[in-house]
Amino acid sequence: MTAADLHPMATGHIPGYVVAADGSDYLFSAMVVFFVVLVVLIGVGYLTLHSVPEKMAHENNHPQFQLVGILALLALFTHNGLFWVAAILVAGFQFPDFATPLRNIADAIRSLGRSPVPEPVPETTVPAAPDPGPSDAQEQST
């Protein structure tokens, strides 16, 4: 290209971000790919963050595993952070089991209050009456 072919107002150097005549825009294509990858990574990070309480409860075999899962799902669908914090707290701490010791105490007291079961008295055998044999009515009918 000679100097006579250039417009008098044109610069001698065209920057790389200017769109070429064939319509290919490399900067726009790169930004679209970057944005799609960024959205996918943010989504994966968001879902991974919401599954943290459930993973904690699963690793510890937490007795309230279902409650933690429900709280995590509520936090995911409602975007309410309070449910997620509650799920973390429930997954992180095991509540003491008050029912089992109280049940054992109640069973022990119940067993103390029972009267001893009397031993069964052996039955005396009553001699059976002798078989009288066939009756007269049966002999005549045959």
Side-chain angles (χ1 to χ4, degrees):
M1 193 177 252
T2 63
D5 294 337
L6 289 177
H7 190 275
M9 299 290 290
T11 62
H13 172 67
I14 298 177
Y17 58 83
V18 175
V19 179
D22 62 353
S24 60
D25 189 0
Y26 300 111
L27 184 60
F28 178 72
S29 300
M31 290 309 296
V32 166
V33 169
F34 174 76
F35 183 73
V36 167
V37 168
L38 183 67
V39 167
V40 168
L41 287 177
I42 288 174
V44 167
Y46 183 74
L47 294 175
T48 302
L49 181 66
H50 272 278
S51 68
V52 166
E54 209 166 351
K55 286 180 183 177
M56 285 174 54
H58 183 69
E59 288 172 1
N60 297 333
N61 290 331
H62 199 280
Q64 298 296 329
F65 178 70
Q66 289 180 345
L67 176 66
V68 172
I70 289 170
L71 286 172
L73 277 176
L74 280 174
L76 179 67
F77 292 133
T78 62
H79 301 291
N80 191 347
L82 187 61
F83 290 126
W84 190 80
V85 171
I88 285 283
L89 289 176
V90 171
F93 300 107
Q94 296 228 358
F95 298 111
D97 182 19
F98 293 116
T100 302
L102 290 176
R103 193 175 302 116
N104 290 343
I105 292 170
D107 289 343
I109 292 173
R110 194 175 302 120
S111 69
L112 289 175
R114 291 187 189 143
S115 60
V117 178
E119 293 183 19
V121 178
E123 295 183 17
T124 58
T125 57
V126 178
D131 188 21
S135 65
D136 294 334
Q138 287 178 344
E139 289 177 8
Q140 291 175 357
S141 65
T142 54

